[in-house]
Amino acid sequence: MYRSVRLLLVVILTVACNLNLFAADVDITAYGAVGNGTTLNTEAIQKAIDACYKSGGGKVVIPSGIFLTGTISLNDNITLQFKKGAVLLGSTEVNDYKNLDPFVDGLGISVGWALVVAVDKKNISIEGEGTIDGQGSKLKAQQILTDTRPESQRWGRRPFLLRIVRCQNVAVNGVTLNYAAAWTSHYFQCKQVNIKNVKIVSRGVAHNDGMDIDGCQDVTIKDCDVVSGDDALCFKTTSSKMACKDIVVSGLRLKSGQGAIKIGTESMAAFQNIKISQCYIYDTTNGGIKLLSVDGANISNVQISDITMVEVKTPILIRLGARLSVFRKDQDTQQPIGTLENVTIKNVKAKAADNAQLMPPSGILITGIPGHDIKNLTLENIEINLGGGGSNENARQVVPEAIDKYPEVKTFGPLVPAYGVWARHVDGLKLTNVKFTLSHNDLRPAFICEDGKNLELNNWTIPETTGAQAVIRLENVAGAHINNNTVTGSANAFVRVEGSTSRGVHILKNKIPGIQKKVELSADLKAGTAVLD
């Protein structure tokens, strides 16, 4: 009996001791860190992290103060906790940074150096009321004094602010990430990631992405505020070995110098089961929503909903292409052309900027490539205000295929021939409850489809314009249902059908009192191509 009680006490004490070790807080100042903004604290902070890890894990505390540092590396079971007023300040000397997981970005530049890093770790957190500041502009100014390479090559040597690589059970909560020297936060092939209440202000140098989610799974991003010089929220797959999937995003506020919500450009592995909702996008100088598979990715089961955009140059770009880049050349091989299918975008209200990449501006660009259609894309409850100003000549603009080019809005410039939706190489495109308003008359069609199959246009509200050849133009379209749409302006034709392969166009129950012809067929088409109401 006595031995049993004694053994039980030993077990209880051992467990209590282990729990106490795991819960121990480690203050970085206890290991020599000085928060005066000038002392380099890399070694002291790393010693604090290593000591905490060896004791079983716990919190490494950054107290109030400004702690200058180069690369620090987190370990298993470590929480980096920022007290109010705490600043982790990145050194302006590039040689103070390490690259623990090198790779090549979408522009072909070697990258991967970072300020705060975790590679192949479990149970790591970054939390609190403090700030990580990369001093990006100052670091660049210091770098170019000795690095004489062109800026297009030189920038890759500059560090990311936060890199989390192949980690499991990751939490980033409450902290502010400021002024990275390159990408602000990069999560690569991680599982169980929770990002909440993070504020990012990262502008001043090129490539200031906000959040890059790269081949990660089981991810939640909620209630974050991102102001970025480059893409704000970007999903990537720079490796073919792990898909980006099972991701839920909500409640984000986004301002971007490029794309606000983006899937791609780096796109080798799949993007699946992604839901993004309730986001506010403003003052974005490129695309609001950009879905891009160009390196072999299969994009499927993506739902984007309840999005408000204000002053966004091009609200939506959707692209399936064949650039087929490889980013980890010693670990990966080129992939075949990918797919883009079963995507829904709904409940979007956008005020497009009058000054856009393509002039006159357009609302939505959708394009696959010959032989590779974008399939089963649904846009529902879409409302976009546009500047207008297109001419009859603009309405016949030929858009380059750009099959293997970098997928950017300007790639398809200088303009596209529809002001509302321009679509090419699509199958199963469904557009329901779409409304456009224009500040100025536009002689381009509201909708153009080139090389399409199985289209549905239902319940559109098309603004009053005068003098256009057609409101809708179909070129080599096999199967289209254009029903219950309302046009308040005037034009020569409601629907113009062109191309020798066009057939099966059904036009039913539309309200078009100012239109001269319900349908107009080009000379190479026979009567019977269209069915009128």
Side-chain angles (χ1 to χ4, degrees), residues 156-174:
R157 182 60 182 82
R158 298 200 282 266
F160 299 179
L161 203 64
L162 174 64
R163 275 204 81 202
I164 310 296
V165 177
R166 296 183 300 273
C167 294
Q168 185 170 347
N169 192 19
V170 177
V172 182
N173 187 357

Side-chain angles (χ1 to χ4, degrees), residues 360-364 386 388 390-397 415-423 436 438 441-450 457 460 462-463 465-475 487 490-491 493-498:
S362 296
I364 300 173
L386 292 153
S391 66
N392 278 316
E393 182 181 4
N394 297 154
R396 288 294 172 177
Q397 177 71 36
L415 58 94
V416 297
Y419 70 77
V421 179
W422 172 78
F436 294 107
L438 293 168
N441 193 48
D442 202 310
L443 300 181
R444 295 174 296 168
F447 174 77
I448 292 176
C449 183
E450 306 170 19
L457 276 69
W460 282 42
I462 299 172
T465 59
T466 59
Q469 182 187 37
V471 176
I472 293 169
R473 190 167 77 233
L474 307 179
E475 303 177 19
V487 181
S490 62
F494 175 48
V495 179
R496 179 174 169 84
V497 185
E498 303 177 356

Side-chain angles (χ1 to χ4, degrees), residues 235-455:
F235 299 94
K236 306 173 182 284
T237 49
T238 59
S239 165
S240 68
K241 295 178 171 59
M242 188 165 165
C244 239
K245 70 176 185 179
D246 301 328
I247 296 169
V248 177
V249 178
S250 64
L252 270 58
R253 182 179 173 90
L254 305 169
K255 176 181 178 179
S256 170
Q258 288 294 326
I261 297 172
K262 183 178 178 184
I263 292 179
T265 303
E266 295 94 335
S267 49
M268 294 190 72
F271 300 88
Q272 300 172 330
N273 306 330
I274 298 174
K275 294 183 179 180
I276 303 170
S277 65
Q278 298 177 335
C279 295
Y280 179 77
I281 299 169
Y282 67 105
D283 295 347
T284 289
T285 55
N286 202 309
I289 298 170
K290 300 166 73 174
L291 310 182
L292 314 168
S293 171
V294 294
D295 301 315
N298 300 312
I299 298 178
S300 63
N301 299 326
V302 174
Q303 298 180 27
I304 301 175
S305 64
D306 301 297
I307 307 295
T308 299
M309 306 184 200
V310 178
E311 295 301 318
V312 174
K313 284 196 172 182
T314 300
I316 299 175
L317 169 65
I318 301 175
R319 169 63 160 169
L320 172 62
R323 181 183 64 169
L324 305 182
S325 291
V326 177
F327 308 103
R328 288 170 167 80
K329 292 180 171 56
D330 57 336
Q331 305 171 26
D332 226 326
T333 57
Q334 189 178 68
Q335 301 299 296
I337 297 171
T339 61
L340 202 163
E341 59 188 358
N342 300 326
V343 170
T344 298
I345 301 174
K346 65 181 182 179
N347 304 336
V348 174
K349 290 186 176 182
K351 167 61 176 73
D354 291 339
N355 182 24
Q357 313 96 309
L358 307 182
M359 291 298 292
S362 296
I364 300 173
L365 284 64
I366 303 165
T367 179
I369 58 177
H372 297 271
D373 292 340
I374 293 172
K375 297 182 178 180
N376 301 327
L377 170 64
T378 298
L379 278 71
E380 181 178 353
N381 300 333
I382 309 293
E383 184 175 335
I384 301 178
N385 175 263
L386 292 153
S391 66
N392 278 316
E393 182 181 4
N394 297 154
R396 288 294 172 177
Q397 177 71 36
V398 176
V399 181
E401 290 284 358
I403 292 170
D404 60 351
K405 303 302 182 184
Y406 190 93
E408 192 52 86
V409 173
K410 64 183 180 181
T411 301
F412 304 102
L415 58 94
V416 297
Y419 70 77
V421 179
W422 172 78
R424 182 173 63 186
H425 310 309
V426 294
D427 184 352
L429 176 62
K430 185 176 182 180
L431 302 163
T432 302
N433 293 332
V434 175
K435 180 180 181 180
F436 294 107
T437 56
L438 293 168
S439 300
H440 300 91
N441 193 48
D442 202 310
L443 300 181
R444 295 174 296 168
F447 174 77
I448 292 176
C449 183
E450 306 170 19
D451 181 27
K453 308 176 191 73
N454 306 311
L455 309 181

Side-chain angles (χ1 to χ4, degrees), residues 90-92 94 97 113-115 133-141 143 151 154-162 178-185 201-209:
S91 168
T92 58
V94 294
Y97 296 93
W113 289 265
L115 177 57
D133 189 325
Q135 300 196 93
S137 295
K138 290 183 179 180
L139 186 147
K140 176 183 176 180
Q143 177 201 19
E151 177 61 19
R154 181 170 52 206
W155 80 266
R157 182 60 182 82
R158 298 200 282 266
F160 299 179
L161 203 64
L162 174 64
N178 282 350
Y179 304 110
W183 297 357
T184 307
S185 56
V201 179
S202 195
R203 303 176 74 90
V205 298
H207 312 288
N208 276 152
D209 287 16

Side-chain angles (χ1 to χ4, degrees), residues 29-144:
T29 58
Y31 289 82
V34 179
N36 60 8
T38 57
T39 301
L40 188 66
N41 294 290
T42 311
E43 184 177 352
I45 297 172
Q46 193 62 57
K47 283 182 178 179
I49 293 170
D50 295 344
C52 187
Y53 167 68
K54 289 175 183 177
S55 70
K59 294 179 180 179
V60 175
V61 178
I62 314 293
S64 180
I66 302 174
F67 296 89
L68 186 71
T69 183
T71 297
I72 60 171
S73 179
L74 304 183
N75 215 320
D76 294 339
N77 306 315
I78 294 294
T79 294
L80 195 63
Q81 186 182 66
F82 287 78
K83 296 297 185 181
K84 187 174 182 179
V87 178
L88 203 60
L89 189 66
S91 168
T92 58
E93 171 55 60
V94 294
N95 292 322
D96 288 334
Y97 296 93
K98 299 176 182 179
N99 191 343
L100 303 184
D101 181 68
F103 73 103
V104 175
D105 88 319
L107 299 174
I109 304 300
S110 295
V111 294
W113 289 265
L115 177 57
V116 179
V117 188
V119 178
D120 297 313
K121 305 304 178 185
K122 295 181 179 179
N123 307 323
I124 59 171
S125 300
I126 301 172
E127 65 179 29
E129 301 178 69
T131 299
I132 305 175
D133 189 325
Q135 300 196 93
S137 295
K138 290 183 179 180
L139 186 147
K140 176 183 176 180
Q142 183 69 25
Q143 177 201 19
I144 64 178

Side-chain angles (χ1 to χ4, degrees), residues 8-19:
L8 179 60
L9 288 172
V10 169
V11 170
I12 292 171
L13 288 171
T14 300
V15 171
C17 183
N18 286 338
L19 287 172

